[in-house]
Amino acid sequence: MRSLFVFLTAVLLIQGTAGARNILPLPAHQKELAIVIDDLGNDMKGTEEILHLPVTLTLAIMPFLPSTKADAENARRFGHEVIVHLPMEPVSGKASWLGPGAILTSLSNEEIRSRVEKAIDDVPYAVGVNHHMGSKATADDRVMRIVLEVCKERGLFYLDSKTTGKSVIPKLARELEVPYLENKLFFDDVYTLQHIGKQAKHLSHELDESESTIAIGHVGVTGMKVAVMLKEFIPLYEKKASIVPLSDLIPEYHLIDESMP
């Protein structure tokens, strides 16, 4: 009888412990990772696969393109964050890669402001901005001052994709008090699957060293490769960090729901 009592007591203790584990919240990760996917808006390859990934991503959507609004709506429906992927002048590259409404260094102050405002208006649910290409424009003090002034007026943050080492964004953002972030890694700056996998592994090592980090991939030419890579690596990343939208990396940044009274 005593043996039976001990056995039943042990079972109840085990069940009680298991039950307690089920109701206790999992400990939050101290580290955070934001994954940004650029170039949405033109029904690009990999878009559907990216949308269906089981984590919250930040999707950078280009304005004035055939699927701009549909991609923004789908991003919201699947729980992703939206930012404007603003086309900006590069040092080199085809003009056709920029898309409509590009920010060029030859434009007047008034035209730059007008184009930035229209681009923001064209991308529903946007809470921030980053640039498409832009190695020349983001090194231009006059151009970026106007871009960041509009961001401040609209309550948007700015992600410096770091397409040039001469970016004036950090200096101006601090001066204008615009929340800004900096990209740390491109998954697909080289288009091969081997390189994308190498960058994915590098990001895993980066998470061992950094409290927070940002990585950018693309839909389009590399879209399917990036989607496949992320599907494989997300479980590993989630063991090391919380995968969060970009806005979560900005201290005390709160999104305002304008529909609220």
Side-chain angles (χ1 to χ4, degrees), residues 15 28 34 36 65 69 97 104 118 130 137 169-170 193 216 219 241:
Q15 289 178 338
V36 182
L65 292 177
K69 289 180 170 55
W97 293 347
L104 309 175
K118 288 176 181 177
N130 76 338
I169 293 169
L193 188 58
I216 295 179
V219 293

Side-chain angles (χ1 to χ4, degrees), residues 107-122:
L107 297 174
S108 68
N109 291 2
E110 293 75 17
E111 182 62 19
I112 292 171
R113 169 174 283 274
S114 175
R115 291 192 180 195
V116 175
E117 290 175 340
K118 288 176 181 177
I120 293 169
D121 290 340
D122 198 60

Side-chain angles (χ1 to χ4, degrees), residues 157-175:
F157 63 81
Y158 198 97
L159 168 65
D160 187 352
S161 301
K162 304 299 286 185
T163 54
T164 176
K166 299 179 181 179
S167 172
V168 298
I169 293 169
K171 173 179 71 75
L172 290 176
R174 286 192 292 268
E175 177 188 331

